[in-house]
Amino acid sequence: MASKKKEFDEIQLVSKLSFSGTKADKSRFIFKLVGLALILFVIGVILCVLIVTNYGERNTPQARCGVVDLFDDGRKNIRLVDHEDPSSIIAEIGLNVHEKMYSHPIEGGVEYIWRNGLALVVQDQGNNCTSLHWSGLTDIDDYPMDCFFLSGRNWYGGAELYQQVWPFEKSVMEMAAYYPQDTINAYYKKLNAFGPILGRYWVNSQGIAIVVDQLSPLVVGINMEKQPDKLCLSIDPNQYPKTSVPPTLNYTVCKGDNVKTTHQAMAQKYFKKLTSGIDLKMMEDPVWSTWVKYHAAVNQKDVEEFVDQIVANNFKCSQLEIDNNYTTKYGDLDFDPVKFPTPKDMIEKIHRAGCRVTTWVHPFAEMTSKAYAEGRELGMFVLGGDDRTPGLVMWWEGIAAAIDVTKPSAYDWFLNRLKEFQKDYTIDSFKFDAGSVSYLPFQYNLNGSKIPSDYSVQYAKLASDINNIVEVRVADHSQDLSVFVRFLDRDPAWDSAMGLQSVIPTVLTFGILGYPFILPDMIGGNGDPDKELFIRWMQLNAFLPSMQFSHAPWDFDNETIAIAHNVMNIRASIMPTLREGMENAVQTGDPIIRPLWWIAPNDPLALTVDQQFMVTDVYLVAPVVTQGAQGHNVYLPKGVWIEEFGNRATHNMAEGGIVTYNNTALGDVYYFKNIATQQ
């Protein structure tokens, strides 16, 4: 019994020591328990901080700057969020910047600084605008890229593209330098390029607009493979002329109530102001061009027969344009005496027929021309990489030098030669071709500017110094010039990238970029359209600020001539509205040809319609642009609309909706008057 009791007591002792033990044992146990509790507390605090930080990143702005809130995660990710709608992310900033950043508040905003010297200042500019200014961009591995979300919004503006779409969020473009280029030339060379008409300006259906500073060596990408559904802005100084000025990326983001009010405010603030309108005769009567009809083989006999045909078929004429290859050499301003033996007599005949005369000109001089010899001696051409001799360029008619219109002496030399030619032959004006940066020599050196677009701007300005009867095909930040701005050549096709269905998206884009005086390419395109395509193209063009024929109605048949006369009567009936649109454009910068959202900025369908347009706020035009159409659908926004054709039915639309027409005939033209504008 004693042994069992001892065994029991030992068990008891072990048991008691396990839970109480000696004082030293108790102290060690309590210390361990407290330590464990502290560890659990620290872990809990860390988890809470991570949760709060993550929540704060999504729900609490690190800075509020004008119309946007900024969120950053303390490492590299910065986001812009619409201040009025925090769930709406506008952009991701500095996507390819990988180093840790530091931030501190500044007046009206915040400054971010990276260890490599890169800096970003985001600051409230007032008037619902926020500026973003990247600096410290010299000697870094990757330039910052800021990407704006396209999905969930409709976007407008940007540039003329090889494949023009409206809205432009359907476009695709890998990163490309953002200055005027020939997209047709780039397409065949498989190069990414923005077109000769462009602006550093975009606006979306949410009422958010972006405008980029002209000094930034900008590159832009849209729906890139690695950044789908985004419009991305960055810089690449290597694609721009060398300069001692440190590169920067500067732009402003603004917000308004809707796309229309935002655009109007941006146009007033950032677009240059027109000082006068364009030539009314060029708006009222068609331009007739020799190009598609006769090409480079044109001669005096062709021109005189052409004007005889215009008169005989009872068509009016603003001017007859003598196009390519009327000179002895490209660059020389004269008439080839073999092809044009008595040019003054020819021009007098054209004038007697009620037509003015314009001729095709460009900034190039081929190496065997008198212009090249004189210009080289005087130093009038764009220099190449050696900064001493003219850089040669391949254009569509061979190898030539380009006059440096950014150099004042060269500008005056070219302008004076044009005016002398104009005076000698009583020529009324000119068609200015080319002028885009893609037709400058490799490693070009502009005398008067480090901004490539300035070449195009100065070229367009030189054209406007002749008079307001001219046409140009380049524009960037040159909304103040009273000139007609022309499309790139179109294809004689329906739905190709440059066919009939590209016309309205291009017209609307030009208008949003601040160029209201639009000269579409020749009716039917640059080629041989069939009768149906020619007629549908003509019907669309009748409502635009100007019309241009080369192929003529009498090239087809009597039915085409009759339809053409009806089209010209329609144009005459809407001409007062076109003239009022021109006057309004001078005063306000509003486009003459407007998207449907101009009268319905909150209508989801009006924001996306790409084959209808408004002539000011008065006429809604819905041309037939599909081959062999047996019927036609028209979208009418909310309002009261009267058909300006057929039975002149009235459509009282309580909300936007589609009106369907059956049995569409070749001569049918669908356009409607907006009764709201008459009240």
Side-chain angles (χ1 to χ4, degrees), residues 344-548:
K344 291 184 179 181
D345 292 342
M346 174 190 68
I347 292 171
E348 183 180 350
K349 177 178 180 176
I350 297 170
H351 283 158
R352 286 199 306 268
C355 287
R356 299 175 299 196
V357 177
T358 61
T359 62
W360 176 74
V361 294
H362 48 77
F364 307 115
E366 62 177 298
M367 297 177 67
T368 57
S369 67
K370 296 176 183 177
Y372 180 82
E374 180 182 346
R376 175 170 181 149
E377 182 178 351
L378 296 174
M380 298 302 170
F381 297 118
V382 177
L383 299 179
D386 64 0
D387 203 22
R388 293 189 305 274
T389 56
L392 298 179
V393 61
M394 176 67 74
W395 66 303
W396 58 90
E397 294 294 352
I399 298 174
I403 300 169
D404 186 357
V405 292
T406 69
K407 185 177 183 179
S409 59
Y411 183 105
D412 292 340
W413 178 70
F414 189 25
L415 182 63
N416 290 333
R417 290 175 60 239
L418 288 168
K419 287 183 174 180
E420 288 174 9
F421 180 50
Q422 184 181 16
K423 181 180 178 181
D424 288 346
Y425 291 95
T426 63
I427 293 167
D428 296 279
S429 196
F430 301 100
K431 168 188 175 178
F432 284 83
D433 212 341
S436 53
V437 177
S438 47
Y439 289 113
L440 295 181
F442 179 67
Q443 293 183 337
Y444 60 89
N445 188 321
L446 297 177
N447 177 272
S449 177
K450 299 299 182 183
I451 303 173
S453 292
D454 278 355
Y455 184 84
S456 300
V457 172
Q458 289 298 107
Y459 186 68
K461 182 179 182 302
L462 185 146
S464 72
D465 282 348
I466 294 292
N467 53 34
N468 64 351
I469 311 175
V470 299
E471 59 176 276
V472 299
R473 75 169 202 180
V474 287
D476 178 14
H477 202 60
S478 51
Q479 296 93 346
D480 57 325
L481 302 178
S482 295
V483 296
F484 280 93
V485 180
R486 180 174 67 89
F487 287 6
L488 285 173
D489 296 356
R490 301 287 118 171
D491 295 333
W494 292 89
D495 58 358
S496 72
M498 301 286 275
L500 174 59
Q501 292 178 16
S502 73
V503 171
I504 295 175
T506 307
V507 169
L508 295 176
T509 298
F510 281 21
I512 292 303
L513 292 175
Y515 303 102
F517 309 139
I518 301 162
L519 177 67
D521 191 39
M522 283 158 275
I523 291 168
N526 185 4
D528 295 312
D530 61 33
K531 172 182 171 178
E532 182 188 4
L533 179 62
F534 179 84
I535 289 173
R536 293 306 189 193
W537 208 306
M538 177 173 57
Q539 290 167 342
L540 189 165
N541 270 231
F543 297 90
L544 301 182
S546 57
M547 298 181 72
Q548 186 176 39

Side-chain angles (χ1 to χ4, degrees), residues 1 66 75 129 143 187 196 238 253 320 382 435 447 471 488 551 639:
M1 290 292 295
R75 295 183 300 278
C129 291
Y143 296 109
Y187 174 79
N238 293 323
V253 179
L320 195 153
V382 177
N447 177 272
E471 59 176 276
L488 285 173
H551 279 304

Side-chain angles (χ1 to χ4, degrees), residues 303-360:
V303 174
E304 292 183 355
E305 286 182 353
F306 197 17
V307 74
D308 287 340
Q309 292 167 353
I310 295 168
V311 172
N313 286 281
N314 297 313
F315 284 91
K316 293 183 178 180
C317 172
S318 165
Q319 58 226 42
L320 195 153
E321 174 188 284
I322 304 172
D323 210 284
N324 190 352
N325 205 23
Y326 61 90
T327 60
T328 51
K329 298 283 186 179
Y330 290 115
D332 290 339
L333 295 172
D334 55 14
F335 281 93
D336 184 331
V338 176
K339 299 176 70 178
F340 294 86
T342 56
K344 291 184 179 181
D345 292 342
M346 174 190 68
I347 292 171
E348 183 180 350
K349 177 178 180 176
I350 297 170
H351 283 158
R352 286 199 306 268
C355 287
R356 299 175 299 196
V357 177
T358 61
T359 62
W360 176 74

Side-chain angles (χ1 to χ4, degrees), residues 12-30:
Q12 282 276 76
L13 180 62
V14 172
S15 179
K16 287 179 180 180
L17 285 174
S18 299
F19 290 94
S20 44
T22 64
K23 290 183 178 181
D25 292 329
K26 289 181 179 180
S27 297
R28 283 194 296 271
F29 177 79
I30 292 170

Side-chain angles (χ1 to χ4, degrees), residues 79-105:
R79 296 193 306 229
L80 299 186
V81 176
D82 184 354
H83 174 56
E84 295 180 352
D85 181 11
S87 65
S88 176
I89 301 175
I90 299 172
E92 295 178 332
I93 306 300
L95 283 181
N96 52 344
V97 178
H98 303 297
E99 295 189 16
K100 183 177 176 61
M101 65 185 174
Y102 305 89
S103 64
H104 63 90

